[in-house]
């Protein structure tokens, strides 16, 4: 069971609970809800997700309109882990929560509200458009969870260790993404968020730091140092040191440190 409709919330607070999950999305005006003692303010950029049996009350201003989606908690997509949509939809109602809508989802809600006004008796439109909003919310919630999980799983130390073990070799971002078990695009996004630099900048910094150490601590030739740290040539190492460290191999040898 999934049904959706437009409502105007009363201006006086009304306390109740029900045996279905509920999504309440602001369409016009403002409203205040309290779910299991936690307050939530609704406007046209917010939605409140109310799990079954959660005690809640609500009241709205005189202009308020909300879009309400009711769902049977025993429908397979919400209750059966074997259902193909369970992992997507079930997390929506793990606990009461307020979702902030992005501009695209807010636009969809406004469009759906207009269609409900235009065809108030068309239950097919209400069902399918309500389901579309629900799935869009679930996708955004799951994307946020994936970002948090990946951020937690991504270990710069593991990436650094891999680079040091293979520093003589050509190392690509694809190689580093494989170490983290992420797609290249996701790895690049998460790495920059966690570490503060791109994977390429991180790799280059490690190569340069190792080259500086070898140049100042060993009698190895510049050519040998460039080979051992994965630079394509002596001139490539020299140019990288000049650009990123403000020094050269010969100056390092003289000063014993980065200028």
């Amino acid at each position: 069971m999934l049904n959706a409709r437009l409502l105007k919330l009363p201006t006086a607070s009304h306390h109740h609970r029900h045996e279905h999950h509920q999504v309440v999305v602001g369409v016009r005006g403002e409203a205040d809800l309290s779910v299991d003692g936690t307050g939530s303010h609704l406007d046209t950029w917010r939605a409140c997700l109310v799990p079954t049996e959660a005690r809640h009350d609500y009241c709205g201003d005189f202009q308020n309109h909300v879009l309400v989606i009711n769902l049977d908690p025993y429908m397979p997509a919400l209750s059966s882990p074997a259902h193909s949509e369970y992992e997507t939809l079930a997390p929506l109602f793990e606990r009461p929560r307020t979702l902030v809508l992005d501009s695209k989802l807010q636009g969809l809600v406004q469009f759906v509200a207009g269609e409900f006004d235009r065809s108030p008796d068309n239950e097919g439109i209400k069902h399918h458009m309500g389901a579309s909003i629900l799935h869009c919310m679930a996708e955004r919630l799951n994307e946020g969870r994936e970002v948090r999980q990946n951020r937690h799983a991504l270990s710069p130390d593991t990436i650094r260790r891999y680079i040091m073990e293979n520093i003589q070799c050509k190392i690509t971002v694809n190689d580093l993404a494989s170490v983290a078990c992420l797609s290249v695009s996701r790895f690049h996004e998460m790495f920059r968020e966690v570490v503060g630099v791109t994977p390429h900048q991180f790799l280059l910094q490690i190569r340069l730091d190792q080259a500086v150490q070898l140049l100042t601590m060993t009698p190895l030739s510049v050519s040998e140092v460039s080979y051992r740290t994965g630079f394509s040539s002596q001139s490539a190492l020299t140019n990288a040191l000049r650009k990123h460290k403000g020094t050269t191999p010969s100056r390092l040898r003289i000063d014993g440190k980065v200028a």
Side-chain angles (χ1 to χ4, degrees):
M1 180 273 293
L2 182 156
N3 63 65
R5 63 191 189 278
L6 286 176
L7 294 176
K8 182 177 174 62
L9 296 179
T11 54
S13 179
H14 176 67
H15 194 82
H16 71 295
R17 62 182 176 183
H18 37 63
E19 296 181 354
H20 52 265
H21 296 319
Q22 189 171 76
V23 180
V24 185
V25 194
V27 174
R28 286 198 302 275
E30 299 183 24
D32 290 300
L33 289 85
S34 175
V35 184
D36 282 344
T38 301
S40 176
H41 182 74
L42 281 186
D43 56 22
T44 56
W45 292 93
R46 290 178 176 83
C48 186
L49 278 62
V50 185
T52 180
E53 295 297 334
R55 296 189 64 84
H56 57 285
D57 59 60
Y58 50 77
C59 61
D61 63 16
F62 289 102
Q63 290 79 37
N64 90 86
H65 281 79
V66 296
L67 189 152
V68 176
I69 304 171
N70 294 324
L71 299 113
D72 182 352
Y74 299 107
M75 59 190 293
L78 294 175
S79 62
S80 174
H83 194 279
S84 61
E85 296 179 346
Y86 177 81
E87 291 188 2
T88 299
L89 296 180
L92 280 170
F93 300 101
E94 291 174 341
R95 57 180 174 82
R97 67 176 87 226
T98 300
L99 296 182
V100 178
L101 312 184
D102 57 43
S103 59
K104 291 183 178 179
L105 186 50
Q106 197 263 0
L108 175 61
V109 169
Q110 294 298 323
F111 172 77
V112 169
E115 291 299 299
F116 281 17
D117 270 339
R118 190 177 68 86
S119 304
D121 299 322
N122 192 321
E123 295 302 321
I125 286 180
K126 292 180 180 180
H127 175 85
H128 290 294
M129 289 191 166
S132 295
I133 290 174
L134 188 72
H135 277 270
C136 289
M137 287 182 174
E139 286 295 328
R140 284 157 173 77
L141 180 68
N142 290 329
E143 284 174 3
R145 179 182 289 107
E146 182 182 355
V147 167
R148 291 189 295 272
Q149 290 173 342
N150 288 342
R151 185 186 299 119
H152 177 73
L154 182 62
S155 169
D157 288 339
T158 300
I159 302 300
R160 180 186 295 275
R161 188 160 51 248
Y162 173 84
I163 292 172
M164 290 300 297
E165 290 171 354
N166 299 275
I167 197 166
Q168 290 180 331
C169 307
K170 179 180 179 180
I171 301 173
T172 66
V173 175
N174 190 55
D175 296 328
L176 301 180
S178 296
V179 173
C181 300
L182 296 170
S183 69
V184 173
S185 60
R186 179 63 73 184
F187 172 75
H188 195 282
E189 178 186 352
M190 291 297 99
F191 192 90
R192 183 157 192 167
E193 183 175 347
V194 172
V195 182
V197 297
T198 67
H200 176 73
Q201 291 169 330
F202 186 75
L203 170 61
L204 178 60
Q205 186 61 54
I206 291 175
R207 290 195 192 279
L208 287 173
D209 288 346
Q210 186 66 10
V212 168
Q213 183 175 346
L214 292 176
L215 288 167
T216 56
M217 303 295 292
T218 75
L220 293 172
S221 68
V222 178
S223 178
E224 180 66 16
V225 170
S226 65
Y227 168 75
R228 292 195 181 195
T229 53
F231 288 92
S232 59
S233 65
Q234 178 176 329
S235 62
L237 171 59
T238 300
N239 290 336
L241 281 170
R242 183 179 292 113
K243 179 178 180 180
H244 298 284
K245 296 286 189 180
T247 189
T248 62
S250 58
R251 191 184 303 169
L252 280 169
R253 284 264 156 90
I254 294 171
D255 296 343
K257 61 182 179 179
V258 179

